[in-house]
């Protein structure tokens, strides 16, 4: 739903405009369509999406609360650079919830549950064979969501999804660089095998190792693209020339 047409179709079904604009912009940020450090214009976004500036402004404020946007008075609005502190916090939340859910899933997973997870693994292998990174990310999301649902705690997935936005940006940056889809799929398969065997401790360890892989990836990305990151304590302020260009678009 990244286009004005898709947004208007959703609005016609009675969905709240601000919520829809927030979802569109958040997806673009997490999907790196809006790159870390880039300037954004309320006017341009409103015109593109076919809405007034009000829902765009309100959505940007919500995104700032999530750490995905930095708003500088008199300077402009910028997509936040990735902060390793935020990645670590998101990883802590994700690991805590997914591993707790997995412990409940072991012993209660049915043959049908395992079969459905294996179908997703096959689809991931097909995405890997076609070098379809966007498709793989979608399937990866479905896999982890389904794994949590097996535990009976599927309703907690939105909490994980909300928390891991910064994590997802880092992962999307890392995959083209590391070319490790096959490694991730192998780790997924190990978790499913151990789940089916009912081996709680090894399944827990396999999932933790899988989720923590992002930390080594972040180090590789930062070494190659330091401009996409800010320091641990504060957002990196934009250069004045970038700020002037952003401000000019709002005039």
């Amino acid at each position: 739903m990244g286009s004005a047409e898709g947004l208007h179709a959703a609005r016609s079904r009675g969905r709240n405009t601000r919520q829809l604009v927030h979802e569109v912009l958040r997806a673009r940020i997490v999907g790196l369509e809006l790159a870390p450090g880039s300037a954004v214009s309320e006017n341009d976004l409103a015109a593109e999406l076919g809405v007034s500036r009000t829902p765009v402004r309100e959505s940007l404020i919500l995104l700032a609360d999530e750490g995905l946007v930095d708003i500088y008075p008199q300077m402009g609005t910028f997509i936040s650079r990735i902060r390793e502190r935020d990645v670590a916090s998101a990883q802590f939340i994700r690991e805590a919830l997914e591993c707790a859910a997995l412990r409940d899933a072991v012993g209660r997973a049915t043959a049908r549950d395992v079969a459905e997870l294996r179908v997703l693994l096959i689809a991931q292998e097909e995405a890997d064979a076609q070098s379809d990174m966007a498709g793989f990310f979608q399937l990866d999301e479905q896999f982890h969501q389904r794994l949590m649902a097996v535990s009976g705690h599927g309703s907690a997935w939105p909490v994980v999804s909300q928390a891991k936005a910064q994590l997802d940006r880092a992962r999307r940056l890392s995959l083209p660089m590391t070319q490790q889809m096959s490694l991730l799929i192998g780790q997924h398969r190990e978790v499913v095998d151990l789940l089916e065997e009912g081996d709680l401790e090894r399944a827990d360890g396999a999932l933790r190792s899988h989720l923590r892989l992002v930390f080594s990836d972040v180090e590789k990305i930062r070494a190659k693209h330091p401009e996409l990151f800010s320091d641990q304590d504060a957002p990196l302020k934009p250069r004045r020339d970038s700020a002037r260009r952003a401000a000019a678009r709002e005039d």
Side-chain angles (χ1 to χ4, degrees), residues 49-95:
L49 297 175
V51 299
S52 70
R53 286 179 59 181
T54 298
V56 173
R57 183 182 303 113
E58 291 173 344
S59 297
L60 290 173
I61 291 171
L62 291 174
L63 291 165
D65 290 340
E66 294 180 59
L68 295 173
V69 165
D70 295 324
I71 300 174
Y72 300 96
Q74 310 306 317
M75 294 184 71
T77 301
F78 298 80
I79 305 304
S80 68
R81 288 175 169 83
I82 297 171
R83 294 184 277 274
E84 291 184 51
R85 174 196 61 198
D86 294 340
V87 171
S89 294
Q91 172 60 22
F92 174 81
I93 294 169
R94 182 179 192 185
E95 183 175 320

Side-chain angles (χ1 to χ4, degrees), residues 20 64 101 176 185 231 233:
L20 291 168
I185 295 166
D231 63 40
D233 300 316

Side-chain angles (χ1 to χ4, degrees), residues 19-224:
Q19 180 184 6
L20 291 168
V21 171
H22 175 262
E23 289 176 5
V24 168
L25 296 182
R26 190 177 191 276
R28 288 184 179 183
I29 294 170
V30 173
L32 302 178
E33 185 178 340
L34 295 173
S38 63
V40 293
S41 161
E42 288 181 12
N43 287 338
D44 290 350
L45 290 172
E48 180 186 350
L49 297 175
V51 299
S52 70
R53 286 179 59 181
T54 298
V56 173
R57 183 182 303 113
E58 291 173 344
S59 297
L60 290 173
I61 291 171
L62 291 174
L63 291 165
D65 290 340
E66 294 180 59
L68 295 173
V69 165
D70 295 324
I71 300 174
Y72 300 96
Q74 310 306 317
M75 294 184 71
T77 301
F78 298 80
I79 305 304
S80 68
R81 288 175 169 83
I82 297 171
R83 294 184 277 274
E84 291 184 51
R85 174 196 61 198
D86 294 340
V87 171
S89 294
Q91 172 60 22
F92 174 81
I93 294 169
R94 182 179 192 185
E95 183 175 320
L97 291 176
E98 287 202 42
C99 289
L102 180 67
R103 296 182 75 86
D104 285 345
V106 173
R108 67 173 291 169
T110 65
R112 180 175 179 177
D113 291 329
V114 172
E116 289 177 353
L117 288 167
R118 294 199 185 281
V119 167
L120 289 171
L121 292 177
I122 293 171
Q124 289 172 12
E125 290 172 344
E126 293 172 353
D128 185 17
Q130 298 169 12
S131 298
D132 180 5
M133 294 184 188
F136 174 79
F137 271 108
Q138 184 176 19
L139 291 163
D140 177 79
E141 189 89 350
Q142 292 175 19
F143 176 84
H144 285 275
Q145 184 175 8
R146 184 72 191 96
L147 191 60
M148 181 166 277
V150 171
S151 73
H153 300 298
S155 60
W157 178 253
V159 178
V160 176
S161 183
Q162 179 75 14
K164 68 186 184 72
Q166 297 284 12
L167 197 63
D168 286 345
R169 289 204 296 169
R171 292 174 63 242
R172 284 180 181 271
L173 283 167
S174 72
L175 196 55
M177 185 185 304
T178 58
Q179 296 292 319
Q180 60 185 7
M181 271 194 280
S182 58
L183 170 62
L184 297 173
I185 295 166
Q187 292 178 333
H188 286 168
R189 185 178 297 104
E190 182 182 11
V191 171
V192 174
D193 289 345
L194 293 169
L195 174 68
E196 185 174 28
E197 294 171 15
D199 192 329
L200 174 59
E201 296 308 317
R202 290 177 63 204
D204 180 82
L207 182 58
R208 289 183 193 277
S209 295
H210 170 65
L211 296 177
R212 291 176 184 178
L213 186 63
V214 70
F215 290 127
S216 60
D217 291 346
V218 165
E219 291 302 318
K220 296 173 186 175
I221 303 163
R222 183 159 194 163
K224 189 168 184 178

